[in-house]
Amino acid sequence: MKNSAYKYNKVREIMVKGILPFCLMVVLPLILSSCSLEEKPRDQIPEEMAYTTKETLFQNTVATLYNYIGGHVDGEGLQGTCRGVYDLQTFGSDEAMLPTRGGDWYDGGMWQEMYKHSWSAGHELVSKSWMYLYKVITLCNTSLEVLETHKSLLTPSELEEYQAEVHALRAIYYWYLLDLFGNVPIVTSASIPIKDVKQSPRSEVFKFCVSELDEHIDALAPEKSCAEGDYYGRVTMPVACFVLAKLMLNAPVYLSISNESQEAKAYYKRCIELCDLLGEMGFKLEDYYSDCFAVHNHNSVENIFSIPMDDFFYTNHQENIIRSLHYRHAAAFGFVGENGTSATQRVLDIYGYGTDDVDPRFYYNFYADEVIDLEMGPVTDRTGNQLIYYPREVALDLSNSPYKETAGARMRKYEIDRNGTKDGKLIDNDIVLFRYSDVLLMRAEAKLRVGLDGHEDYDAVRQRFWLPKRPYTLQNLLDERMLELCWEGWRRQDLIRFGQYRSLYDGPDAVDESDGHTTLFPIPSSICVLAPNIEQNPGY
């Protein structure tokens, strides 16, 4: 278990808020128009107390930013909550769906639109994600300005380290914007008139992210973020290396250049170098896949960056599992289920579900077939019969199906925390954002794209489950990324990079995606109305 005294002190450090950085939220009204930044937290302290020592300066400019990596309300956090960044990446791909189940999960057609790729600029997930990402960027900008104002409290090396951490965190958030929306404003001031906000081409946002990380990476702590200590849960050098590797691997998409060009190959080669460096930093595969997602997984040798979770000390939620589980299934754990998210038919095909060659990782990532509780006893449905999930019965609208409540394989991934609270939302499994098996698959792909042999990395990921070798091809690598990284928020990005991004829906009202416009989400309509300098993405 995590050391309680350590955890208490760290939480006290991180949760202290100064009044200035997080009350100046009237700034950037263009970007954050309807965001709830006019909150008046009851735990705010007067400004004159927030920046009196180097300790309080750190707490109120750097540490407090980590309040926003996770979240406990819709749209807030990189993962764990609903209706935000994670849902765009997951339900905007062929990995998962939220079927309409009679009166449940229609929500004005929101989830059907995600499956069909028929979202508009007014879609709730689009708006919430944009608002959240720019909210954190604005907080970073404010922190950098406050650090500069009060730099006399710090030594030059301390100032450099604190600034580097904020710069790197801001770059990560711009990377999410770059990936989801493409052409977005690069804003580096905490207060800027609406008329001065300008949209930057996607290529410039890419270069900005890379330059910010390159410029500041050497000043970041070399420690692991997924380990107890002063850098637990923080952006450190390995975290920055991972993000740079992702930027390099996806550079041809972000820059609209050919995968076969010499420029693209230069980016792939740098991706390989960054992956090599992460290996040299001591990351490796866990012996057991499930250890990455276990209760108290905070010291995993495989995990690179995660959202710290604790059912007593932190307020971050993990809502994705209970959103998926049937009501009675969740109740067997003492939780409240919402009977929603399911695997798509495509996912079942890739895993080989229902065949003699089903990938063993299917049952680590999904609940399917007869449902049992933690004591291996049967779980019954609402009629008193054995609860059974029917993965192959899943469809976009189950309202008239006899499998309305039971269709679809459900999210598993994380070990059930028997001591979880708040209906199962507050648990002790840190939410994994980046891990080393992804690094191995990135390096295998980058090597293949430049004509090098990376089959050892590809094989290493599969050998953890004693799986037979498969041909080392791009298609098999894409499939392997689904098999290994399901539910981790990468599928949309992977499909786009491999040129296979399109909806599974083939009905008469299917969206024409031949122009590729759905590889970017629309800029929220509220932003376009307020900002005359911002143009909507093509196709919307």
Side-chain angles (χ1 to χ4, degrees):
M1 294 181 64
K2 302 173 189 174
N3 180 275
S4 297
Y6 158 75
K7 288 174 68 180
Y8 176 76
N9 290 332
K10 285 303 291 180
V11 172
R12 288 284 297 172
E13 170 186 325
I14 291 177
M15 294 304 292
V16 173
K17 291 188 178 87
I19 192 168
L20 181 61
F22 307 105
C23 246
L24 280 181
M25 294 297 94
V26 292
V27 300
L28 213 58
L30 160 67
I31 305 298
L32 302 167
S33 57
S34 62
C35 199
S36 58
L37 294 179
E38 295 179 0
E39 301 167 354
K40 297 179 179 179
R42 288 172 291 179
D43 60 346
Q44 285 180 351
I45 60 177
E47 179 184 346
E48 60 270 17
M49 295 174 58
Y51 314 119
T52 55
T53 67
K54 67 175 63 179
E55 289 78 18
T56 57
L57 182 62
F58 171 79
Q59 290 166 353
N60 294 291
T61 56
V62 182
T64 194
L65 294 173
Y66 291 101
N67 288 311
Y68 301 92
I69 302 293
H72 61 275
V73 297
D74 283 352
E76 300 278 320
L78 293 174
Q79 276 197 39
T81 54
C82 302
R83 304 192 178 205
V85 171
Y86 178 78
D87 282 2
L88 283 185
Q89 300 282 31
T90 302
F91 296 110
S93 76
D94 63 5
E95 178 177 271
M97 61 192 299
L98 262 167
T100 302
R101 300 179 187 271
D104 293 336
W105 295 113
Y106 181 67
D107 293 344
M110 176 193 307
W111 306 110
Q112 291 195 11
E113 289 170 356
M114 291 304 299
Y115 184 80
K116 294 179 177 180
H117 294 191
S118 61
W119 47 71
S120 68
H123 198 281
E124 181 181 337
L125 271 61
V126 169
S127 178
K128 284 184 180 294
S129 297
W130 176 283
M131 299 300 180
Y132 161 69
L133 293 170
Y134 269 112
K135 172 180 178 176
V136 178
I137 286 169
T138 303
L139 298 176
C140 290
N141 290 339
T142 303
S143 289
L144 289 171
E145 292 177 7
V146 173
L147 283 169
E148 182 63 28
T149 299
H150 296 277
K151 63 183 178 182
S152 61
L153 294 172
L154 306 171
T155 66
S157 61
E158 288 170 337
L159 178 63
E160 182 183 25
E161 181 182 350
Y162 295 174
Q163 288 175 330
E165 192 167 347
V166 179
H167 276 283
L169 183 61
R170 185 178 67 180
I172 291 171
Y173 275 74
Y174 268 115
W175 167 49
Y176 279 98
L177 282 165
L178 156 74
D179 190 73
L180 293 168
F181 298 103
N183 306 327
V184 299
I186 299 174
V187 181
T188 57
S189 170
S191 56
I192 181 172
I194 293 177
K195 64 182 179 62
D196 293 338
V197 173
K198 297 180 180 179
Q199 199 169 15
S200 296
R202 197 181 199 187
S203 59
E204 287 188 16
V205 185
F206 168 80
K207 292 171 184 176
F208 174 79
C209 292
V210 173
S211 65
E212 283 282 280
L213 292 169
D214 279 341
E215 181 179 347
H216 297 285
I217 193 168
D218 288 339
L220 294 173
E223 278 80 6
K224 293 182 177 180
S225 178
C226 293
E228 285 184 347
D230 289 341
Y231 293 93
Y232 170 54
R234 290 168 59 185
V235 174
T236 60
M237 189 180 293
V239 176
C241 282
F242 181 96
V243 175
L244 277 169
K246 283 287 184 184
L247 284 161
M248 297 300 109
L249 189 63
N250 290 283
V253 173
Y254 299 151
L255 299 175
S256 298
I257 59 176
S258 168
N259 288 330
E260 305 296 327
S261 67
Q262 291 303 309
E263 184 180 3
K265 290 182 179 181
Y267 286 117
Y268 294 142
K269 288 177 181 177
R270 188 166 181 218
C271 176
I272 294 167
E273 294 170 357
L274 289 159
C275 293
D276 290 343
L277 184 57
L278 284 163
E280 294 168 7
M281 290 176 175
F283 294 98
K284 60 182 181 180
L285 294 178
E286 292 279 4
D287 291 336
Y288 300 100
Y289 181 85
S290 57
D291 286 352
C292 298
F293 313 100
V295 178
H296 307 306
N297 58 339
H298 53 284
N299 285 318
S300 169
V301 297
E302 183 170 339
N303 296 342
I304 296 171
F305 191 42
S306 63
I307 299 173
M309 299 287 289
D310 188 287
D311 54 10
F312 182 77
F313 287 104
Y314 298 131
T315 60
N316 297 327
H317 282 185
Q318 168 57 284
E319 301 177 2
N320 296 311
I321 297 172
I322 61 171
R323 175 170 59 174
S324 182
L325 300 184
H326 186 276
Y327 319 110
R328 296 300 299 272
H329 189 183
F333 304 141
F335 302 157
V336 176
E338 298 177 1
N339 200 36
T341 313
S342 299
T344 65
Q345 298 283 357
R346 173 69 56 79
V347 168
L348 301 177
D349 292 341
I350 293 173
Y351 275 97
Y353 172 76
T355 73
D356 293 337
D357 296 321
V358 60
D359 191 290
R361 285 167 290 189
F362 178 81
Y363 291 102
Y364 284 83
N365 284 298
F366 297 97
Y367 292 103
D369 310 321
E370 293 188 354
V371 179
I372 57 175
D373 61 24
L374 294 175
E375 309 304 328
M376 306 300 290
V379 175
T380 57
D381 61 22
R382 296 202 285 186
T383 65
N385 295 317
Q386 168 71 57
L387 177 61
I388 301 174
Y389 289 136
Y390 297 91
R392 286 294 184 186
E393 297 300 329
V394 75
L396 183 60
D397 190 344
L398 296 166
S399 299
N400 297 314
S401 169
Y403 305 99
K404 178 173 63 177
E405 286 195 6
T406 55
R410 310 305 174 88
M411 180 179 180
R412 187 169 187 166
K413 197 74 178 186
Y414 289 84
E415 178 187 8
I416 295 297
D417 182 0
R418 293 171 181 256
N419 298 312
T421 60
K422 198 160 186 178
D423 301 331
K425 298 174 184 175
L426 293 178
I427 59 176
D428 258 329
N429 318 59
D430 289 354
I431 300 175
V432 181
L433 298 177
F434 309 155
R435 61 188 179 98
Y436 190 63
S437 63
D438 193 350
V439 173
L440 294 178
L441 293 175
M442 282 197 287
R443 186 165 63 184
E445 179 185 336
K447 284 186 174 182
L448 186 55
R449 290 186 184 279
V450 298
L452 299 175
D453 187 358
H455 80 275
E456 289 185 358
D457 289 331
Y458 173 54
D459 292 344
V461 173
R462 294 179 57 77
Q463 284 169 2
R464 175 156 57 182
F465 282 89
W466 303 98
L467 290 162
K469 292 185 177 181
R470 296 179 69 187
Y472 173 51
T473 65
L474 283 175
Q475 184 59 51
N476 282 347
L477 278 170
L478 176 61
D479 289 348
E480 188 65 27
R481 291 189 60 81
M482 164 62 79
L483 297 167
E484 176 69 18
L485 303 171
C486 186
W487 297 120
E488 296 180 48
W490 298 118
R491 182 63 173 173
R492 170 186 164 274
Q493 186 184 96
D494 292 343
L495 288 169
I496 292 171
R497 188 173 65 255
F498 280 79
Q500 297 184 27
Y501 187 72
R502 59 193 65 88
S503 173
L504 296 176
Y505 180 71
D506 59 359
D509 57 339
V511 173
D512 182 359
E513 299 183 84
S514 60
D515 61 357
H517 76 275
T518 57
T519 60
L520 289 176
F521 289 104
I523 293 171
S525 53
S526 59
I527 300 303
C528 293
V529 169
L530 290 171
N533 294 327
I534 292 184
E535 295 183 4
Q536 184 57 269
N537 285 328
Y540 300 105

